[in-house]
Amino acid sequence: MSRDARWKALLELLVERGRLEVEEAAAELAVSAATIRRDLDQLAEQQMLVRTRGGAVVHGVSYELPLRYKTARQASEKQRIAKAVADLVVPGEAVGLTGGTTTTEVARALAVRGDLTTGTPALTVVTNALNIANELAVRPQFKIVVTGGVARPQSYELIGPLADGVLGQITLDVAVLGVVGFDVVHGAAAHDEAEAAVNRLLCERAARVVVAADSSKLGGRAFARICAAELVDTLVTDTAATPETVRRFEEAGIRVLAV
């Protein structure tokens, strides 16, 4: 296992459990305890975790794993969700994409759709996510609009009043939201309030709003609210969503696609 792969795995385990012991991590990753100690020391130097005697802990309860360190958790689910979301988009539409792992997969699914290979443009994509813009910019049939703003290193998203200025001048057919949590009562949410504010503007400029979220996000809450549940038209999730969870969203007037 490469160093980068170990670091990603360690951070995933740490975020999942809150605390990690050296021996425990060494057994899970099938490497020596010395290797794990060295990895934890180096991650602590980058302020990715807090080193403790015998292991490490996360910085806090609301710790957010930076996008570049996120591994493919629920990878197959996210890819299925992404394809289903991409299939909801009509050629020629203007689509807003927020940042995140699932919306990045949506961008990739749009890029390989056979009916979006030609057009003037085949699709207009508006995003505040630098990584999504970078992936789609090589597609000449897509018109890519980047909001502008200040880059947030955890998610590669542009935030702040510069982004607000661009979004205030455009109209979207659909906004696709990646979320940290989506709850019937508390709505869609993100970790960061500035990120949530830009995502909220994307929703306000769109004729319809789609939340792309694997089932682990449903019923979850986070610090910063993006929008109320009633502003969401469609939720695309995976089949692990319980019937009770699906029912609650449908009773709130949200179309649910479990794929």
Side-chain angles (χ1 to χ4, degrees):
M1 181 183 288
S2 69
R3 187 193 69 173
D4 285 348
R6 287 199 313 275
W7 285 13
K8 289 178 181 180
L10 282 170
L11 288 166
E12 286 283 0
L13 289 170
L14 190 57
V15 170
E16 194 174 280
R17 302 173 186 180
R19 175 180 295 275
L20 199 59
E21 300 298 324
V22 168
E23 297 298 335
E24 169 191 14
E28 294 224 18
L29 302 186
V31 297
S32 69
T35 297
I36 294 297
R37 289 190 191 95
R38 185 166 58 250
D39 287 340
L40 295 179
D41 287 341
Q42 291 170 338
L43 288 168
E45 288 175 6
Q46 296 186 39
Q47 299 184 345
M48 299 298 299
L49 51 79
V50 176
R51 196 73 163 85
T52 63
R53 180 182 294 275
V57 296
V58 296
H59 281 287
V61 175
S62 62
Y63 180 81
E64 179 183 3
L65 186 64
L67 188 66
R68 67 185 181 276
Y69 285 107
K70 289 181 179 175
T71 60
R73 288 176 68 187
Q74 289 100 18
S76 60
E77 289 88 345
K78 288 180 181 180
Q79 288 165 2
R80 291 199 307 272
I81 290 167
K83 184 182 183 304
V85 171
D87 288 345
L88 298 175
V89 174
V90 177
E93 285 192 319
V95 181
L97 291 176
T98 69
T101 53
T102 307
T103 47
T104 297
E105 292 297 337
V106 172
R108 292 167 180 162
L110 289 169
V112 299
R113 247 182 63 173
D115 59 341
L116 296 177
T117 56
T118 60
T120 52
L123 209 64
T124 298
V125 176
V126 179
T127 186
N128 66 323
L130 292 172
N131 66 308
I132 289 176
N134 182 62
E135 289 208 25
L136 295 182
V138 297
R139 306 280 176 174
Q141 73 274 24
F142 287 0
K143 178 180 179 180
I144 308 302
V145 179
V146 182
T147 63
V150 177
R152 185 169 182 265
Q154 287 89 341
S155 62
Y156 302 146
E157 289 183 274
L158 300 171
I159 57 175
L162 293 175
D164 299 353
V166 171
L167 290 174
Q169 304 302 314
I170 63 172
T171 300
L172 300 170
D173 294 295
V174 57
V176 180
L177 298 183
V179 299
V180 173
F182 186 37
D183 180 73
V184 172
V185 175
H186 301 284
H191 281 300
D192 181 78
E193 66 277 8
E195 179 184 315
V198 174
N199 295 353
R200 187 179 309 117
L201 276 175
L202 278 169
C203 294
E204 291 172 356
R205 305 306 297 170
R208 63 188 192 277
V209 176
V210 176
V211 167
D214 64 74
S215 56
S216 69
K217 307 288 180 62
L218 304 183
R221 299 168 60 184
F223 174 70
R225 187 180 189 183
I226 298 171
C227 68
E230 55 262 30
L231 296 182
V232 175
D233 299 280
T234 304
L235 164 64
V236 184
T237 188
D238 59 74
T239 54
T242 66
E244 174 64 17
T245 298
V246 171
R247 183 186 62 78
R248 286 201 302 270
F249 282 107
E250 288 178 336
E251 288 179 349
I254 299 168
R255 177 191 180 197
V256 180
L257 300 178
V259 296

